[in-house]
Amino acid sequence: MAALGQRVEPVATTDALARARQRAALVPDLLVEARRVVNTVITGWHGRRRRGMGENFWQFRPYVQGEALSRIDWRRSARDDHTYVRDREWEAAHTVWLWADPSASMLYQSNLGEVSKEWRALVITLALAELLSRSGERIAYPGVIDPFAARNGAERLASALVHSTGVPALPDITNIRRFSDIILVSDFLQPVEEMLELLERLAKHGVRAHLVEIADPAEEVFPYSGRTEFHDPETGERITAGRAEVYAQDYRNLYLARRQTLSGYCKRLGWSFTVNRTDRPASEALVRVHMNMTADMGYQGGAA
């Protein structure tokens, strides 16, 4: 009996970074097939930073008559003949948190998929870091790296991931501020109750979430027949089915019901839910996430 899938070794983050940067550089070419949305992607990946009440310095700008004199930066103004104001960042909606599922189930790759789910999740996460940092967004990774703004966002995130240890199975959202965005990249095969609890906590925090489900084609179609041994990568448990095809329809129903439950929850909150199969280009997920982040989705900021 030939194996239809296997557990692969964890992806080296530096290799995933190379793939992510290549993917980001090729975004215009890869999006030709995605209904000519390339112009939206190129011009739409813009930051949402603007001046306002915040803790971090953003920029110097010329003083406008009528503004409070206390806002003038006299040291900067002394350098030439102009008067400058020191602006701080408005911190309501410009931090994007990224998270890729570290669970053992993400190491699966079937003969129908081009890469493992873990590889795809890291490529998408690091490609997003590259694109978001280029456009001036602040990015962060819960439990790994705090919010920062830099042109080399992908490199900094990859380095932080390399040196991180003991990353929990679900993201720690304690430090995520209200009005932030978080992009969760996972197969979402955890117990659905655990994921719904996390999403409810995000909603109560006032955080806007975008879920990207990574799916291996074999997980959707269940191509198994005859005597088949199934291995749970999380628990190590093994189950042998004498005629696997008997369970195909029940499996598909449960698999799709889980997806519909999560996507339905997201829809009620005005969040987004994207599916990316590992036999499809990762760029498709980038396009969808971009469109969902920039669209007016009627975010409610509360629990369903």
Side-chain angles (χ1 to χ4, degrees), residues 44 49 152 266 285:
R49 300 168 67 189
N152 63 337
C266 292

Side-chain angles (χ1 to χ4, degrees), residues 2-127:
L4 285 174
Q6 61 181 336
R7 182 183 185 277
V8 302
E9 293 302 315
V11 171
T13 308
T14 52
D15 293 339
L17 171 61
R19 283 287 303 276
R21 295 193 66 171
Q22 180 185 30
R23 181 73 62 182
L26 294 176
V27 161
D29 296 331
L30 295 170
L31 298 184
V32 171
E33 299 179 3
R35 301 185 179 179
R36 303 197 310 183
V37 297
V38 60
N39 291 332
T40 302
V41 173
I42 292 177
T43 60
W45 278 104
H46 55 78
R48 291 164 292 166
R49 300 168 67 189
R50 50 178 168 166
R51 65 175 180 268
M53 298 302 294
E55 301 175 357
N56 299 308
F57 168 73
W58 177 23
Q59 65 175 3
F60 290 114
R61 63 174 177 81
Y63 170 77
V64 177
Q65 187 174 3
E67 291 188 273
L69 297 179
S70 59
R71 300 192 60 196
I72 296 176
D73 189 289
W74 297 106
R75 179 176 297 180
R76 174 65 183 86
S77 301
R79 298 179 188 174
D80 51 41
D81 297 330
H82 300 283
T83 303
Y84 291 92
V85 170
R86 185 183 183 92
D87 269 340
R88 297 181 183 275
E89 288 186 44
W90 182 68
E91 298 191 8
H94 65 272
T95 299
V96 180
W97 293 79
L98 305 172
W99 178 78
D101 190 348
S103 302
S105 65
M106 296 292 290
L107 299 176
Y108 179 74
Q109 177 184 350
S110 76
N111 297 343
L112 304 178
E114 296 181 358
V115 295
S116 72
K117 293 185 291 181
E118 185 219 28
W119 181 286
R120 175 57 56 83
L122 282 173
V123 167
I124 290 176
T125 300
L126 293 171

Side-chain angles (χ1 to χ4, degrees), residues 13 16-17 19-21 23-24 45 96-102 106 117-133 139-142 144-145 153-155 157-158 161 182-186 210 212 214 276 282 285-286 289:
T13 308
L17 171 61
R19 283 287 303 276
R21 295 193 66 171
R23 181 73 62 182
W45 278 104
V96 180
W97 293 79
L98 305 172
W99 178 78
D101 190 348
M106 296 292 290
K117 293 185 291 181
E118 185 219 28
W119 181 286
R120 175 57 56 83
L122 282 173
V123 167
I124 290 176
T125 300
L126 293 171
L128 283 167
E130 181 83 1
L131 292 169
L132 290 166
S133 60
I139 62 175
Y141 195 110
V144 173
I145 189 168
E155 288 90 344
L157 177 56
L161 288 171
I182 185 169
I183 303 174
L184 304 172
V185 187
S186 170
H210 307 273
V212 180
I214 307 300
N276 183 242
L286 299 184
V289 171

Side-chain angles (χ1 to χ4, degrees), residues 101-282:
D101 190 348
S103 302
S105 65
M106 296 292 290
L107 299 176
Y108 179 74
Q109 177 184 350
S110 76
N111 297 343
L112 304 178
E114 296 181 358
V115 295
S116 72
K117 293 185 291 181
E118 185 219 28
W119 181 286
R120 175 57 56 83
L122 282 173
V123 167
I124 290 176
T125 300
L126 293 171
L128 283 167
E130 181 83 1
L131 292 169
L132 290 166
S133 60
R134 283 184 187 179
S135 61
E137 298 278 5
R138 284 161 55 96
I139 62 175
Y141 195 110
V144 173
I145 189 168
D146 293 331
F148 69 93
R151 299 291 291 181
N152 63 337
E155 288 90 344
R156 288 186 60 175
L157 177 56
S159 176
L161 288 171
V162 166
H163 295 95
S164 62
T165 58
V167 178
L170 292 176
D172 180 1
I173 66 172
T174 305
N175 296 323
I176 300 181
R177 294 187 178 186
R178 184 176 177 83
F179 301 123
S180 297
D181 286 78
I182 185 169
I183 303 174
L184 304 172
V185 187
S186 170
D187 56 11
F188 300 113
L189 293 182
Q190 305 93 336
V192 69
E193 295 81 11
E194 293 183 7
M195 186 53 59
L196 288 175
E197 181 181 358
L198 173 67
L199 297 181
E200 184 175 358
R201 289 170 56 207
L202 287 170
K204 290 180 178 178
H205 270 62
V207 178
R208 180 178 174 183
H210 307 273
L211 277 61
V212 180
E213 179 186 329
I214 307 300
D216 188 283
E219 294 176 326
E220 288 192 341
V221 301
F222 197 85
Y224 309 103
S225 62
R227 185 177 176 82
T228 306
E229 181 182 77
F230 296 97
H231 173 223
D232 187 337
E234 305 286 346
T235 65
E237 183 179 359
R238 296 176 183 272
I239 298 177
T240 301
R243 296 177 57 201
E245 64 273 18
V246 173
Y247 304 98
Q249 191 58 52
D250 288 340
Y251 166 85
R252 295 190 194 104
N253 291 340
L254 290 172
Y255 186 86
L256 292 178
R258 170 200 55 83
R259 178 181 292 173
Q260 291 168 359
T261 297
L262 293 176
S263 62
Y265 186 95
C266 292
K267 184 177 181 179
R268 288 195 298 273
L269 285 181
W271 296 353
S272 70
F273 189 95
T274 300
V275 177
N276 183 242
R277 286 179 28 156
T278 55
D279 61 343
R280 301 293 304 167

